[in-house]
Amino acid sequence: MTVDDRFGEGLEEARRERFLNGYRTEVVTDPVSDWATDFSHVDPQWAADPYSIQDDLRQRCPIAHTERFGGVWLPTRYEDVAAIAYDTEKFTSRAIVVGNFKPPKDLAPVGAVPPISSDPPFHHDARKLLLPAFTKTAVARLEPATRTFCHQLIDAFEGRDVVDAARDYAQHIPTRVIADMLGFPQEDAPMFGEFVESSLESINRPQEERIARLTQLTDYLLAQIRDHVDNPRDDLTTYLLNAELFGEKLDPNHVLGTINLLLIAGIDTTWSAIGASLWHLAKTPADRERLVAEPGLLPTAMEEFLRAYAPVTMARLVREDVHWNGVDMKADDWVLLPFPAANRDPAQFDRAGEVVIDREVNRHAAFGLGIHRCVGSHLARMELRVALEVWLERVPDFTLEDPSAVTWAASQVRGPRTLPIRIG
């Protein structure tokens, strides 16, 4: 048995104490009174339809503000979102999920979930560690198993007229892929959805409950890491355990945070993209019928789904007080980067509010902008493409069973959480 002192029993307590040194704000759950001055990205109205709100703000208040969560700014124009995403001097990434807790400044430059939470120059090296696992070549090796699994999921539809395309299909695909990559037991998959909710959809719950939820996630990840210390194998977890930066093995918080990122972001973003694409096709017969008839158009249509239904809104913290594009941002204010709003800016895209499945020029921001552009974009594209290819091949005729029964995640990653579909 090998022993790695980095992951001893004291790590959980030390990590908890480190994060408890941050700044807490009051939990506010009141309905939004004015989206320009009191918005909340976890409000049910936002979850149901953020696009009409973003379109309105882009016209009358392109950089909105709220006092919730200790102060948050919301740019809605592509140029503003891009400018902040590229500006690592004025805006830090040490925390990328808006909530009622802001971690201490000394968490930078690594952040809680590197490399997406890391600032330069540390970010470059932390990101470089992950690149080999997410190249096109590496991802291509995962495609056959992903395709087989998609077929197995649809096999299970036998005898059913209505399925939940989110929970019976979309959710399982990235869960299986990421669990395999990390070397986690597939039988633990039901927990992963709970971990996603704990990390991204429970930000407005009481602080004690949120800490308890996140502690469950940390405990699970540490158990998996310790098992990999004792039983090394050929997967990403063992790779990170053995990886080095600057001549030394990674800090235990770096290993834990990166695995946390890969699990949560790797599942939720792709789950949401697959679900949103199927939702669109279920309610848009012309697009569905065209893709069934012209399967070669799918890669182009897929990019349009990513643009129109981009799942991810990222966040930054303001480093120091700054007057930026007409507004006075204070140090440690949050700034949301709504890539969905940027992708629907008429100044950037023709027919921005329409879904044009044969759109030829489509430089969307669904995978982010700047140094933090998604390291797993090749993997996400493969999973989305294969999921849609298999579905359209096996289930060419489908519609929404009840449009009012579709629910959407109220968080920085938006996608269908329940998606009842009637299959022909």
Side-chain angles (χ1 to χ4, degrees):
M1 177 182 292
T2 61
V3 176
D4 192 323
D5 293 336
R6 290 178 294 171
F7 302 96
E9 293 300 325
L11 180 59
E12 297 100 319
E13 186 61 31
R15 184 177 174 85
R16 190 175 298 113
E17 287 297 320
R18 184 183 187 192
F19 287 100
L20 288 177
N21 288 332
Y23 173 68
R24 293 181 185 80
T25 54
E26 178 186 0
V27 174
V28 179
T29 58
D30 298 338
V32 169
S33 58
D34 183 338
W35 288 98
T37 60
D38 182 45
F39 73 82
S40 171
H41 62 296
V42 296
D43 186 273
Q45 186 179 347
W46 179 278
D49 177 20
Y51 308 120
S52 59
I53 298 169
Q54 293 164 358
D55 289 346
D56 174 60
L57 290 175
R58 199 182 294 112
Q59 293 297 317
R60 68 184 179 94
C61 181
I63 305 179
H65 183 260
T66 183
E67 291 297 335
R68 300 174 190 236
F69 308 108
V72 191
W73 298 93
L74 178 72
T76 50
R77 296 181 300 202
Y78 184 99
E79 64 176 340
D80 291 335
V81 173
I84 294 170
Y86 281 99
D87 191 340
T88 58
E89 294 296 322
K90 296 185 182 70
F91 304 97
T92 173
S93 297
R94 81 172 192 270
I96 45 87
V97 177
V98 169
N100 290 299
F101 173 78
K102 296 177 182 177
K105 290 186 176 182
D106 63 6
L107 202 61
V110 180
V113 285
I116 201 171
S117 63
S118 304
D119 293 326
F122 184 88
H123 165 270
H124 175 269
D125 297 290
R127 179 184 173 88
K128 190 175 179 181
L129 283 175
L130 294 180
L131 293 179
F134 294 96
T135 63
K136 287 184 178 180
T137 300
V139 167
R141 291 194 289 266
L142 303 176
E143 181 169 332
T146 303
R147 188 175 300 276
T148 297
F149 183 58
C150 289
H151 279 287
Q152 291 171 349
L153 290 171
I154 292 181
D155 288 343
F157 295 171
E158 183 69 28
R160 301 168 63 186
D161 296 324
V162 178
V163 299
D164 187 331
R167 296 196 176 275
D168 296 337
Y169 189 68
Q171 177 181 359
H172 295 289
I173 298 163
T175 299
R176 167 66 68 95
V177 172
I178 292 297
D180 281 348
M181 293 180 72
L182 290 171
F184 289 2
Q186 287 294 338
E187 56 267 28
D188 292 346
M191 284 192 292
F192 300 158
E194 296 176 11
F195 292 153
V196 167
E197 181 184 353
S198 296
S199 299
L200 300 172
E201 298 178 41
S202 65
I203 64 167
N204 230 9
R205 295 183 185 272
Q207 190 67 24
E208 296 74 18
E209 178 184 342
R210 183 152 171 77
I211 290 173
R213 284 169 167 257
L214 294 179
T215 297
Q216 288 180 331
L217 170 58
T218 298
D219 289 347
Y220 175 81
L221 295 180
L222 280 173
Q224 295 302 315
I225 288 170
R226 288 165 180 156
D227 180 64
H228 277 75
V229 169
D230 294 341
N231 305 285
R233 48 261 207 196
D234 184 17
D235 56 34
L236 259 176
T237 300
T238 296
Y239 168 77
L240 289 167
L241 287 170
N242 294 327
E244 294 186 356
L245 272 184
F246 319 121
E248 296 183 354
K249 286 191 174 183
L250 303 182
D251 181 273
N253 287 302
H254 185 158
V255 175
L256 183 60
T258 297
I259 294 174
N260 185 342
L261 169 67
L262 294 172
L263 182 69
I264 302 302
I267 291 174
D268 198 13
T269 55
T270 308
W271 168 16
S272 297
I274 295 170
S277 300
L278 291 173
W279 172 77
H280 173 84
L281 293 172
K283 73 182 185 68
T284 317
D287 287 349
R288 171 178 56 79
E289 291 167 3
R290 185 175 178 189
L291 288 179
V292 170
E294 303 176 48
L297 183 60
L298 182 59
T300 300
M302 185 180 79
E303 294 302 320
E304 179 67 347
F305 298 150
L306 286 169
R307 181 196 70 83
Y309 306 116
V312 177
T313 292
M314 199 45 64
R316 301 284 188 270
L317 286 166
V318 180
R319 286 188 187 274
E320 305 292 344
D321 293 0
V322 62
H323 185 76
W324 196 89
N325 278 19
V327 299
D328 291 313
M329 297 180 174
K330 301 299 182 183
D332 261 10
D333 278 354
W334 294 103
V335 184
L336 280 169
L337 296 180
F339 299 121
N343 279 347
R344 287 173 174 253
D345 185 347
Q348 188 71 17
F349 297 94
D350 293 332
R351 301 166 66 187
E354 301 177 39
V355 179
V356 183
I357 63 171
D358 57 1
R359 187 185 296 269
E360 294 183 359
V361 179
N362 197 350
R363 300 183 63 182
H364 61 74
F367 292 111
L369 298 164
I371 65 171
H372 290 294
R373 188 181 183 282
C374 177
V375 72
S377 60
H378 295 316
L379 178 65
R381 279 190 167 103
M382 181 277 286
E383 292 174 281
L384 176 58
R385 175 177 52 78
V386 171
L388 295 179
E389 284 175 350
V390 172
W391 182 285
L392 290 171
E393 173 191 338
R394 298 284 302 277
V395 190
D397 183 14
F398 59 99
T399 57
L400 291 179
E401 166 67 5
D402 178 4
S404 67
V406 178
T407 62
W408 297 80
S411 76
Q412 284 178 228
V413 180
R414 180 180 181 269
R417 285 299 178 260
T418 55
L419 182 55
I421 282 182
R422 177 166 291 277
I423 56 180

